[in-house]
Structures are given as structure tokens and as C-alpha cells.
Amino acid sequence: MLDFFTIFSKGGIVLWCFQGTGVTESFTGPVNALIRSVILQERSGNNSYSHDALSLKYKLDNEFELVFVVGFQKILTLTYVDKFIDDVQLHFRDRYKNELEQKGALALLNSHFAFEDDFKMLLREAEESSKARGPTSMRSFNASLKSQKTVKSMIETKGGDKGKEQGGKKNKNAKKEGKGEKAKASTSAQKTEENGNQGLTQEEIIQKKREEFIRKRMGAPVEKPSKSPKPVKEKPKGKEKRVWTLGGSSTKELDYSQSNGNGAHAAGDQGLDAQADPVCAFLFKMFLSPKKGAFGGMFGMLKGLVGSKSLSQEDMEPVLDKMRDHLIAKNVAAEIASQLCDSVAKKLEGKVMGTFTTVASTVKGALQDSLVQILQPKRRVDILRDVLEARSQRRPFVITFCGVNGVGKSTNLAKISFWLIENGFTVLIAACDTFRAGAVEQLRTHQRRLNSLHPPQDHGGRPIVQLYEKGYGKDAAGIAMEAIAYARNQAFDVVLVDTAGRMQDNTPLMTALAKLIAVNMPDLVLFVGEALVGNEAVDQLVKFNQALADHSMSDKPRLIDGIVLTKFDTIDDKVGAAISMTYITGQPIVFVGTGQTYNDLRSLNARAVVGALMKA
């Protein structure tokens, strides 16, 4: 039933593995894909992963830095896999605890983990338990309650109807009587409560309630009022003795002859001052009251800071909730914020805290590391190196820009053109936005300004930037194909394809974009998005990628390769859109637009973004 099961350390050392009978393919491909796409990218909130025809389940052991992975066919529905992988983890930990506690890769390599018999026993138990919990068969008619009914029980008689009516009336009368009795009982109870303080002055009632409160704080039993208190007759009060506030109530309080030598009173005098003031009672209980079997008072408070405590989900839940709200306030999409917090919880669960570290600081540090890892994805885009490689092959390097309306595609295309010119490359701009009025004129203006910054006489009389356009209302895919052919004949280094802005829900325009990319196969597809969006970033990128995949004619469709994040200078520290876009696509942010001039183009500093994101 299972294709494979493997146990390896986070350092990459395989401790033990199992391969099912009849399985000839190696499991290194699916496991490596899981490591690259999930574990290294901090996407471990969900414990399942799909690779080709296989479904993988995994579990992280953060105390010993282990990963448990099981793989089986997608078409199989194995209900016992989650419990089975938990059982294997606990059994493996308990059996090889001494070997796992040894630090270093050499100690793991020298250790021998003979786990075959235990694994087969656990697998057999899991399969048998799943069979025992199989679907129950349908009951037969004879076993049902309906078969026990007779024809006589279905016939209604007049006498029965009258009896029912009479019974119904009786029941109604009984209910009314019951309600009356309950009302009487409640009023009598209220009277007894009021009579409990009968005959007492207002000051004596307050004093009585204060004594009850002190007894509760000190753990003493509370005196319950009698069920039927008798009214107390007021006695005529004589002249009371004046008691001065600072004069003291008794000389016995100054007698320290019965102290135990440690500066504290004996057990009989511990509660004298405590009962006089609730604040004293709380401080007395906090700092001076001893506890059996553990440090009490202040030492108990410090114990929560000291290490050797493994983190649990309950410990992290309050901190993660605050972190989730903080990320959403910083413009991270709500779904992405929840997935990030779940991933951090899986990463830290069972991990032993360091000395004098709090749960909040541990969770915050892990979340910062995860965010930095997300902003530094597995694929690095180096445009200058790729352009040089394409030049050596005597072909132009093609970059296609896509995105929704009004995010700044044409403006940032001009900025990237200026950056390429500054690095010594010739650029051809393909005006494939044949829908928006003024799109071609906007690109022509950018071409004229860029050529004025780099005059043709400085480059052998040839314009370093040219515009290829066919007007409006034409097929964008055909214009892009003609521009690429023209650039190949005229030996241009880079072709920048500008496309029309479109909303992700516009199916005809999304189909046209997918056709342009599928026909021309550009070297780089850049999604231009603005830093002001929140939850919308997730919807835009998911639907753009989905449209490119659905309308592609190849088995491996071209998807978005990188992101250009615009209007980054308008958001202050609300930089959450960068996290949302990178997390959804798994692709890097190539450029960040920070202004309106050609120089306002930057590369993303991951640690600076994370610092702004975590700032309170």
C-alpha cells in the first residue's frame, strides 16, 4: 500500500528508509522536491504534498531535528496514514533517544538504526485498525424499528383521542402550576437573601463582604449563610472607644518572640496582616508562601524564563494570534498570514527553548527567519547574465510584462530600459498594448527621452532604443512575434514586450495573454503589481498563473517567472504585499519601483523588508 517511508535529519542524512514491494522507482526525486518546495520555503503549515502521481505526508520532529516522510499513490485513500506517521515518530524517538541526543553529523553516520521489524509491526497494526473501522453494512428491514409496528398500533380510536386531549389539557395545567411554583420559589429565595443581611448597618455589610473576599484569597472556607436566618434585634449602642489610625490595635503585633528565625512569623501568625488588607494577602501569597516540591513565589515566576522546556501548541497560540493580526495590519493577505503562523507552529512544536528566553521572543525569531527565507526564493533571476548568454547565441533576450490595469507596467518598462542601456545593451520595445488609447504614444515619449539621454552619435549613429509598433486594434501575439524577428535581424540585445492591462476575471483578455506567451515563448515573464494591494494580490497572481496554465499548448506551461513591485515609496512600513506575492508564486521580486524618475528602480533587500514588517 505504501510506496516508501524515509526518516532523515534536517542536515540531509538519511537515517532509515523503507520501499514497498514492487516499487522500482527511487524516492529521491519526490523527497528532494518536498525539501526544495516546502521545507526550505517555509511552507510546512500543511503536512501533505503532491508530486506527479504520488501523495506525500510528512512530519517534523523539532526536538531532534528529524523529518518523517511517507509516500503513496494519489488514487489510494489511506485513512490511517496520519496516525501511522505519528506512531512511527514516537516509537523511533523512544527507541533511539540516546543516539539522537548525540550532536553532530558524524555521530548520526556512525549510529545503526535497525527499525525494520518495528516498522512492519506498526504498519500491520495501522492497517488492521483501519479495516476494523470500515463502513458498517445497512440494517435489514427486520432489524429496523419500522418492522415492529403493527396495523393495530396505526389505527386511531375516539377514546384515545379524548384521552390525548384530556392528557394534553392536564399537561398544560401542570405546566402552569409548575411555573407558578417556580416563581414563588424564586421570590422566597430573594427574600431570604435580603433577610441574610437584616439588622446590619451598611458599614457592617461591607465589612462582612470584605472578610469573605479575604477568606477566598487566602484559601479559607467561606461561611455559608443559614437557610433561615433569624432577624437580630438592634441593641442600643453606647459610647465607642476612639481608635487612632496610626496608633496600633494591639501590642501583640509587635511581639516577635515566636518568629522562626528566618524573619517570618510562625504559621499561626502568618495571616494577621494578610487578613487586614487584600493587597497584603496577595503579596504574602506571591512572595512568602512556601510550595511543596517546587520553588514558590518569585522563583516560580522566573522558572517560566529558564530553558529546558519544550514548546507546545497551547504555549504558542496566544503569541501566534497576535503575530497573525500584526501581519494582516502590515498588508499581508489574511490567508498568507494564517499559513505563515501555522508553518512557524509546526517548525517550533516540540523544540526546547533556550535559557532565559520567552515564548514570544522564540516565536518572533522563528517568524523573522521564515520571512527572510520566503523573500529569498529558490530561483534567482540574473537578467544581465542571461542577456550576455543570449547574445553569445546571437538571439535577443525577450522579457514580457503583464499585470492588471494602472499598476505602472509601461513606466517600469522604461525604467528597466534605462537600466539595460546603462549596462551597455541595445533595447527594442514592442508596443503590444493595442487596446488602451495613448499606450503607443506613451512608449514613443519614453523612447525619445531615453535616446536624448544616450544620443545616437555616441553609439555609432544608431539609436540605442527603438520602438516597434503597428498601431491599435491589431493582434498582440502577432506584433510580438514580428518584433522578435526584427530584433534578431537588427541584432538587438533585449526585447521588452509591453502588454495591455487586464483584470484577472476578464477571460477573453486572459486568453489573449496566454496565447501571446505560448506562441512567442519569452525568456522571462514578469508580473507587475503594486505594493498597495492586500488580499487582492493573492487573487491576481493565482488567476494569472491559472490562465497561463489552462491556455498553454505544452505539458509544462510558462508561468510567472518574477515580480516587479511598484509604488513601493508610498506604503511606509506596510510592506506585506511583497510577502504575499512571493509566497503565492514562489518566485523572486526582481525589481522594486520607488519613484517617478528612471533612476528609481531598486533590488529588494529582504532583511530590510522583514525589519519594517516586524516593526511595531
Side-chain angles (χ1 to χ4, degrees):
M1 297 291 281
L2 300 181
D3 282 29
F4 67 88
F5 194 106
T6 180
I7 305 171
F8 57 92
S9 67
K10 289 186 178 180
I13 301 172
V14 179
L15 306 182
W16 183 84
C17 62
F18 163 82
Q19 200 155 4
T21 54
V23 179
T24 56
E25 296 181 359
S26 174
F27 59 84
T28 54
V31 173
N32 287 334
L34 171 70
I35 294 171
R36 284 195 301 267
S37 303
V38 178
I39 298 175
L40 292 181
Q41 293 298 315
E42 302 293 341
R43 301 169 190 267
S44 54
N46 186 11
N47 67 338
S48 60
Y49 175 72
S50 296
H51 179 77
D52 295 338
L54 288 177
S55 180
L56 278 68
K57 294 268 189 178
Y58 62 94
K59 186 172 180 63
L60 304 179
D61 189 328
N62 298 303
E63 185 177 354
F64 295 113
E65 301 289 326
L66 300 178
V67 183
F68 297 78
V69 183
V70 59
F72 53 92
Q73 296 293 322
K74 274 184 186 177
I75 58 174
L76 299 177
T77 305
L78 304 181
T79 57
Y80 62 85
V81 171
D82 292 327
K83 185 178 182 305
F84 172 65
I85 199 169
D86 292 339
D87 294 341
V88 171
Q89 180 211 7
L90 294 174
H91 204 83
F92 190 84
R93 281 167 47 106
D94 294 342
R95 179 164 179 178
Y96 300 106
K97 187 175 182 180
N98 295 330
E99 290 86 346
L100 295 172
E101 284 177 347
Q102 297 177 9
K103 302 296 182 183
L106 189 61
L108 291 175
L109 287 171
N110 293 332
S111 302
H112 179 64
F113 302 96
F115 196 62
E116 186 81 19
D117 296 335
D118 297 336
F119 177 80
K120 288 183 177 179
M121 182 261 295
L122 292 171
L123 180 60
R124 197 182 309 113
E125 290 178 356
E127 290 177 347
E128 289 174 356
S129 64
S130 67
K131 290 177 183 177
R133 292 195 306 268
T136 57
S137 59
M138 185 182 291
R139 289 185 301 173
S140 63
F141 177 73
N142 295 329
S144 65
L145 295 173
K146 194 173 182 180
S147 64
Q148 299 175 7
K149 291 185 178 180
T150 59
V151 179
K152 187 177 180 181
S153 63
M154 299 179 185
I155 298 173
E156 295 181 357
T157 59
K158 293 183 179 179
D161 294 341
K162 290 179 181 178
K164 286 180 182 177
E165 290 175 3
Q166 292 173 359
K169 290 178 181 177
K170 288 180 181 178
N171 290 335
K172 288 179 182 178
N173 295 330
K175 287 180 181 178
K176 289 180 181 178
E177 291 175 1
K179 288 181 180 178
E181 290 176 359
K182 286 182 181 178
K184 290 178 182 178
S186 61
T187 53
S188 62
Q190 289 176 1
K191 287 180 180 178
T192 53
E193 288 177 2
E194 292 174 359
N195 294 333
N197 294 326
Q198 192 174 5
L200 299 178
T201 62
Q202 189 67 23
E203 294 178 357
E204 290 173 344
I205 292 172
I206 294 172
Q207 182 65 25
K208 184 179 177 182
K209 290 181 178 179
R210 189 177 296 169
E211 290 175 358
E212 290 176 0
F213 173 75
I214 293 172
R215 286 196 198 94
K216 286 180 183 178
R217 299 291 294 185
M218 297 300 295
V222 181
E223 295 180 1
K224 296 182 179 180
S226 59
K227 294 182 179 179
S228 56
K230 296 180 181 179
V232 181
K233 294 182 180 180
E234 292 186 6
K235 296 180 180 180
K237 293 184 179 181
K239 187 176 180 182
E240 294 182 358
K241 183 181 178 182
R242 177 175 291 181
V243 179
W244 297 101
T245 306
L246 301 176
S249 58
S250 177
T251 56
K252 292 182 180 179
E253 295 178 6
L254 303 175
D255 186 8
Y256 290 90
S257 60
Q258 295 182 359
S259 59
N260 54 14
N262 296 325
H265 288 286
D269 296 332
Q270 283 180 353
L272 286 175
D273 293 334
Q275 290 181 358
D277 192 356
V279 178
C280 295
F282 175 75
L283 295 174
F284 176 83
K285 191 175 182 181
M286 195 73 192
F287 293 98
L288 298 177
S289 60
K291 294 181 181 178
K292 294 181 180 179
F295 291 104
M298 191 54 126
F299 297 102
M301 295 172 63
L302 293 175
K303 192 180 178 184
L305 298 173
V306 185
S308 71
K309 178 190 176 184
S310 59
L311 286 172
S312 64
Q313 189 73 29
E314 291 76 15
D315 296 333
M316 296 182 286
E317 195 65 35
V319 182
L320 288 173
D321 288 341
K322 292 181 181 178
M323 291 290 179
R324 186 181 295 108
D325 296 340
H326 178 77
L327 291 175
I328 293 172
K330 293 284 185 172
N331 235 9
V332 180
E335 180 185 355
I336 306 301
S338 298
Q339 292 178 11
L340 278 171
C341 292
D342 293 343
S343 177
V344 170
K346 288 280 180 69
K347 183 180 177 181
L348 292 178
E349 189 174 4
K351 191 172 184 179
V352 178
M353 292 172 58
T355 307
F356 287 95
T357 55
T358 60
V359 177
S361 62
T362 305
V363 172
K364 187 176 180 181
L367 184 60
Q368 284 180 334
D369 295 341
S370 299
L371 293 172
V372 171
Q373 191 68 34
I374 287 167
L375 290 174
Q376 295 173 345
K378 53 187 177 181
R379 183 174 181 271
R380 183 173 178 268
V381 177
D382 192 341
I383 294 178
L384 298 180
R385 183 195 62 189
D386 295 341
V387 171
L388 289 172
E389 186 179 349
R391 180 196 276 179
S392 65
Q393 299 172 3
R394 298 181 179 276
R395 65 175 184 85
F397 185 79
V398 183
I399 304 176
T400 300
F401 295 82
C402 63
V404 300
N405 308 76
V407 294
K409 289 184 296 300
S410 301
T411 304
N412 283 275
L413 181 145
K415 292 180 184 179
I416 293 173
S417 299
F418 178 77
W419 176 70
L420 290 168
I421 293 166
E422 290 288 321
N423 285 279
F425 298 112
T426 56
V427 178
L428 177 68
I429 301 174
C432 295
D433 185 356
T434 61
F435 182 76
R436 177 172 63 91
V440 178
E441 288 77 11
Q442 182 184 5
L443 292 176
R444 188 178 288 118
T445 303
H446 283 304
Q447 177 217 1
R448 187 169 59 250
R449 292 190 63 189
L450 289 170
N451 281 326
S452 65
L453 293 173
H454 293 270
Q457 54 267 25
D458 296 344
H459 302 279
R462 178 188 178 185
I464 199 166
V465 181
Q466 290 189 29
L467 176 67
Y468 189 91
E469 53 96 4
K470 291 291 183 180
Y472 296 99
K474 305 293 192 302
D475 180 33
I479 296 174
M481 183 181 290
E482 293 175 9
I484 293 170
Y486 179 80
R488 187 181 291 108
N489 295 332
Q490 299 297 322
F492 279 93
D493 296 323
V494 184
V495 178
L496 301 180
V497 181
D498 184 33
T499 62
R502 64 207 74 208
M503 295 306 293
Q504 63 270 22
D505 298 321
N506 194 326
T507 305
L509 289 179
M510 294 303 295
T511 306
L513 176 65
K515 175 188 171 185
L516 186 149
I517 293 174
V519 168
N520 296 286
M521 293 301 293
D523 298 288
L524 192 64
V525 179
L526 293 180
F527 177 85
V528 183
E530 58 183 5
L532 302 171
V533 296
N535 291 319
E536 187 70 9
V538 178
D539 191 51
Q540 289 175 5
L541 282 164
V542 167
K543 289 187 177 178
F544 264 82
N545 264 334
Q546 191 64 42
L548 296 179
D550 290 345
H551 300 97
S552 177
M553 293 174 286
S554 63
D555 295 334
K556 293 184 177 180
R558 285 299 307 278
L559 303 178
I560 293 169
D561 300 316
I563 299 167
V564 178
L565 201 59
T566 65
K567 307 176 186 178
F568 207 72
D569 55 323
T570 64
I571 57 171
D572 193 25
D573 59 349
K574 293 187 178 350
V575 294
I579 299 292
S580 301
M581 292 182 177
T582 313
Y583 191 89
I584 284 294
T585 59
Q587 303 300 339
I589 294 176
V590 184
F591 294 111
V592 174
T594 58
Q596 292 296 318
T597 65
Y598 291 135
N599 289 317
D600 293 328
L601 195 69
R602 303 283 185 270
S603 59
L604 187 73
N605 186 343
R607 296 204 173 270
V609 170
V610 172
L613 191 67
M614 298 303 293
K615 186 170 67 175

